[in-house]
Amino acid sequence: MSYQTEYDRSMQDPEGFWRKQAEALAWFKFPQQILTSDAAGLGYWFSDGEMNTAYMALDHHVNNGRGDQLALIFDSPVTQTKSTHTYSELTDVVARTAGMLAGLGVVKGDRVIIYMPMIPEAVIAMLAVARLGAIHSVVFGGFAPPELALRIDDATPKVILSASCGIEIKRTVEYKPLLDRAIDLATHKPQSCVIYQRTQCTATMIAGRDHDWTSQLAKASPVGCTPVKGCDPLYILYTSGTTGKPKGVVRENGGHAVALKYSMKAIYNVEAGDVFWASSDVGWVVGHSYIVYGPLLQGCTTVVYEGKPIMTPDAGAFWRVCSEYGVKALFSAPTAFRAVKKEDPQALLIKQYDLSKLDTIFSAGERLDTPTEAWLSEMSGKPVIDHWWQTETGWAITANLQGIESLPVKPGSSTKPVPGFNVQILDEHGEQQPAGRQGYIALKLPLPPACLNRVWGDDDKFRESYLTFLPGYYTSGDGGYVDQDGYVFVMGRVDDVINVAGHRLSTGEIEEVIATHPDVAECAVIARDDELKGQTPMGLVVLKSAATIDEANLHRQLVSLIRDNIGPITCYKDTVVLARLPKTRSGKTLRKTLCNIVNGREYTVPSTIDDTGVIPEIIAVLRSKKIVA
Ligand code: COA
Ligand code: AMP
């Protein structure tokens, strides 16, 4: 089958196309309503189907003879631990963990927050919540208490699941004090917390609220799968927007299961029994889709890795895991590959491992730069496939579909639209742009299965963030172009979102934290290009007239403010004190101009600002600090 035939079918007859894909799953009641659209053109998929995602991902495989196959391999170089679960074992522990949660009062539709490191219990927790028809919201362990508190208040969970600690390269991160602080900060209080005590550190428990995971589980009985509708939410995953408050992307059970199952073969070319490894974290969408749900829905073996691409213990870590478990498809972020390249430029470590089972390396999370792509494909000898997606879509919007037709790779492009996605390049008036011309990347409604059609508890925010700017389209927030062969080139965000090591952050949120410093009058946060992490945030700060603090001291204090309020993953690296910021007549700071100046790119300045002399003044400061030449 050619890519074009497959894609055209998805456009010409979306209902027929997705009905056929839905048939590959074990529904309790097959949906009659495949697609229903509302007045705005939004699509709702498989709304009246009855199902349970955990059943499709676990019990179904056990019932069909896959019980003894490995479902999950846990590999933790930071704790020197390895363990496995077969499909039978995973189903059993998920059913008992669901029993534990039911014993704490969790029922269908309740929210459960999961704030955990990369251990099997994090995956078990997600599936257990899904088994009850409840809604999980996983919060990445690198987020600080105020971020967790925001999510607690928005999702109002009945129960929070956590662990005593996570293990980073240089330190043990105690999660429990962070969780306690977040609950103190939040207005909503969960009824219970269940804490998995790891041997590396023991959490102090609060009587009456906190429960020990292991002893609770020992007392719990297994429970069955609660049927849900296709349109019932499976999870809420918060992601950074342009404002300080993250958006809770709602993922519905039906469309999610259908799209992910389809993607496993179509995009990644893996079948049941294959080993699939996404070296991400369950706190991100990649972890949800391709550590947990996608591989298990397909009957694959998934790898849960608690380590880094380098330093645990070396830059051969990825190749060791691929070789040891016979990984067929590896999925990671460009930052991880850049880190490996920096440590092992000659790829001496790759050559130590047998990678004969590894077919393809997939990259997403940020733009795959051409030197990294060229290095990786040459050194590994494997096809390197870039694909573009977002938390909002839950799976790839553009890709090179390895299970349909492998198209020639064009460096810098994530290839072509995935079936179901009608990708258009538009200007601000909604006019379609010709081949080669950059514009806003927009997706014509309705979106295919799995994509969001609401933001938790905030319908207005959803419409305003994604649908209002270009009516009839979902605005992706990314800019780019399509070439004459239909290849899509994603060039970067057109809003105030930045991407640090594949982690999505809001500059507005960082600015809000910097503005709380008593000496700061105002600030602008921009993305500075970073060789390893793609981008890191830089704070351009104007001090209050009475302030006497020096820049180095200010920087140290801002680093700790940002770490305490957002989290260490922000990687806040630079503070520059300026006398003033360039502003338009209406008072808008010219962030884009500043960003271009800092990164040595061409920039334009409106004449009204040109006259004020502020830009040469800023350039002089940046030159004195050797930030620009
Ligand atoms: N819990 C607590 N803290 C965490 C964390 C977690 N789950 N993950 C990261 N952090 C902390 C780190 O310890 C580090 O803290 P430090 O400043 O005190 O050292 C900080 O957040 C930054 O972490 P990270 O971005 O991971 O940087 P690093 O220097 O530790 O490692 C790389 C560098 C390149 C190895 C790492 O960035 C990497 O693996 N990147 C790829 C990430 C990825 O896969 N992203 C795509 C997600 S889809
Ligand atoms: P997240 O929602 O955290 O997955 O981040 C999504 C954003 O990451 C996108 O809007 C893009 O800006 C960026 N992104 C993800 N994958 C790619 C890619 N393959 N190429 C370019 N940018 C990407």
Side-chain angles (χ1 to χ4, degrees):
M1 157 103 58
S2 76
Y3 158 77
Q4 203 56 50
T5 310
E6 179 84 349
Y7 182 75
D8 291 348
R9 274 188 194 163
S10 78
M11 289 293 113
Q12 284 151 10
D13 177 18
E15 288 202 49
F17 183 88
W18 290 110
R19 180 186 291 110
K20 184 160 163 276
Q21 310 312 331
E23 284 165 5
L25 288 162
W27 298 82
F28 299 147
K29 194 172 136 232
F30 195 79
Q32 297 306 305
Q33 295 167 358
I34 302 299
L35 170 66
T36 37
S37 297
D38 68 9
L42 273 180
Y44 299 83
W45 293 95
F46 313 113
S47 298
D48 67 347
E50 278 181 23
M51 59 174 295
N52 182 287
T53 299
Y55 176 86
M56 289 172 166
L58 296 174
D59 306 60
H60 168 69
H61 297 306
V62 176
N63 297 343
N64 286 276
R66 242 169 234 293
D68 293 336
Q69 182 201 305
L70 288 186
L72 185 155
I73 296 171
F74 174 54
D75 186 295
S76 169
V78 291
T79 58
Q80 310 283 335
T81 321
K82 292 175 188 177
S83 65
T84 57
H85 284 79
T86 62
Y87 268 96
S88 290
E89 289 164 343
L90 192 60
T91 307
D92 175 59
V93 69
V94 165
R96 285 186 295 115
T97 308
M100 170 180 95
L101 291 170
L104 294 170
V106 176
V107 295
K108 184 177 163 191
D110 282 344
R111 274 81 56 214
V112 174
I113 279 190
I114 299 173
Y115 183 60
M116 296 192 66
M118 277 294 288
I119 54 177
E121 285 69 20
V123 177
I124 291 165
M126 292 165 75
L127 291 159
V129 174
R131 192 172 183 90
L132 293 174
I135 303 166
H136 60 70
S137 185
V138 183
V139 179
F140 179 58
F143 279 123
E147 287 290 322
L148 178 55
L150 278 175
R151 289 153 173 82
I152 293 174
D153 276 337
D154 199 71
T156 59
K158 192 176 262 182
V159 172
I160 299 185
L161 300 172
S162 191
S164 56
C165 62
I167 318 291
E168 284 298 297
I169 300 178
K170 296 180 219 134
R171 64 199 165 104
T172 297
V173 181
E174 288 195 36
Y175 277 38
K176 188 60 182 7
L178 304 177
L179 174 62
D180 289 344
R181 170 107 186 93
I183 295 174
D184 279 350
L185 289 172
T187 309
H188 172 83
K189 309 291 173 195
Q191 282 174 16
S192 327
C193 296
V194 186
I195 311 296
Y196 184 78
Q197 298 280 15
R198 303 188 73 185
T199 51
Q200 292 76 16
C201 89
T202 305
T204 310
M205 307 291 260
I206 294 177
R209 186 198 73 188
D210 298 344
H211 305 271
D212 175 64
W213 186 305
T214 310
S215 48
Q216 286 289 120
L217 186 62
K219 289 188 282 186
S221 307
V223 295
C225 295
T226 304
V228 297
K229 294 276 187 221
C231 59
D232 284 332
L234 169 67
Y235 69 77
I236 307 166
L237 181 57
Y238 289 87
T239 190
S240 298
T242 48
T243 65
K245 193 169 173 260
K247 289 180 287 225
V249 168
V250 176
R251 190 85 59 221
E252 295 181 351
N253 277 275
H256 173 255
V258 173
L260 289 196
K261 172 92 170 81
Y262 170 72
S263 72
M264 291 307 290
K265 177 65 188 160
I267 298 178
Y268 302 103
N269 196 25
V270 292
E271 317 264 4
D274 288 337
V275 183
F276 187 90
W277 179 29
S279 81
S280 178
D281 186 290
V282 290
W284 305 113
V285 68
V286 173
H288 280 64
S289 296
Y290 293 111
I291 294 175
V292 186
Y293 291 109
L296 296 178
L297 286 164
Q298 182 73 332
C300 293
T301 302
T302 187
V303 180
V304 174
Y305 177 69
E306 190 186 30
K308 302 264 174 174
I310 53 170
M311 293 188 281
T312 59
D314 58 27
F318 274 16
W319 320 122
R320 196 262 305 157
V321 171
C322 287
S323 146
E324 195 166 327
Y325 306 117
V327 171
K328 184 171 178 201
L330 164 66
F331 177 165
S332 194
T335 297
F337 297 124
R338 284 195 294 270
V340 173
K341 177 180 159 203
K342 189 162 170 243
E343 295 284 304
D344 183 22
Q346 302 308 318
L348 300 175
L349 290 163
I350 297 189
K351 294 176 189 121
Q352 291 180 11
Y353 295 98
D354 171 10
L355 295 181
S356 53
K357 293 219 171 106
L358 182 64
D359 264 12
T360 318
I361 301 175
F362 294 89
S363 170
E366 55 186 303
R367 193 177 154 74
L368 176 60
D369 56 289
T370 352
T372 305
E373 191 264 333
W375 177 85
L376 187 59
S377 54
E378 188 191 331
M379 296 301 171
S380 66
K382 309 288 175 188
V384 176
I385 304 297
D386 185 14
H387 57 326
W388 168 58
W389 51 301
Q390 312 184 305
T391 304
E392 288 84 345
T393 60
W395 66 303
I397 309 162
T398 57
N400 194 335
L401 287 95
Q402 298 303 291
I404 303 285
E405 181 192 1
S406 185
L407 297 171
V409 169
K410 285 199 191 190
S413 168
S414 50
T415 315
K416 297 201 180 187
V418 165
F421 286 98
N422 185 342
V423 179
Q424 301 289 332
I425 308 293
L426 305 178
D427 68 8
E428 66 275 27
H429 310 294
E431 292 297 322
Q432 213 165 326
Q433 299 302 289
R437 187 177 300 163
Q438 283 204 41
Y440 297 96
I441 313 184
L443 311 177
K444 193 164 180 2
L445 299 176
L447 298 172
C451 298
L452 89 171
N453 52 29
R454 61 190 135 142
V455 161
W456 183 255
D458 201 341
D459 210 37
D460 289 346
K461 186 166 187 173
F462 168 64
R463 287 170 196 278
E464 182 193 308
S465 307
Y466 301 106
L467 306 182
T468 313
F469 179 50
L470 298 165
Y473 293 86
Y474 161 89
T475 311
S476 70
D478 282 299
Y481 65 96
V482 175
D483 76 2
Q484 67 288 355
D485 300 322
Y487 278 62
V488 180
F489 289 74
V490 180
M491 303 308 287
R493 298 289 304 195
V494 289
D495 54 14
D496 297 327
V497 167
I498 65 170
N499 197 314
V500 180
H503 305 145
R504 178 165 157 185
L505 299 166
S506 147
T507 54
E509 198 171 1
I510 304 171
E511 285 173 6
E512 279 184 19
V513 173
I514 294 180
T516 63
H517 189 286
D519 289 326
V520 171
E522 60 175 336
C523 70
V525 170
I526 53 143
R528 185 178 187 189
D529 294 347
D530 185 273
E531 234 180 60
L532 177 65
K533 300 195 174 182
Q535 297 181 323
T536 54
M538 170 187 259
L540 302 170
V541 177
V542 178
L543 293 178
K544 288 181 180 158
S545 51
T548 52
I549 192 165
D550 65 80
E551 195 176 80
N553 240 333
L554 175 70
H555 178 65
R556 267 193 298 278
Q557 292 176 16
L558 291 182
V559 167
S560 81
L561 255 185
I562 290 166
R563 285 177 74 96
D564 292 349
N565 281 280
I566 302 178
I569 46 153
T570 316
C571 299
Y572 180 75
K573 286 220 293 214
D574 306 282
T575 304
V576 176
V577 173
L578 298 173
R580 55 187 173 146
L581 293 170
K583 297 212 178 160
T584 60
R585 281 219 178 109
S586 59
K588 208 166 170 273
T589 305
L590 292 182
R591 288 185 180 75
K592 194 161 180 211
T593 306
L594 288 168
C595 182
N596 286 338
I597 293 173
V598 163
N599 293 305
R601 290 192 278 268
E602 271 183 30
Y603 60 89
T604 49
V605 185
S607 58
T608 46
I609 292 177
D610 230 358
D611 297 343
T612 65
V614 62
I615 297 291
E617 193 180 292
I618 291 172
I619 291 175
V621 175
L622 295 172
R623 276 207 186 113
S624 72
K625 294 176 183 307
K626 304 210 174 352
I627 291 170
V628 298

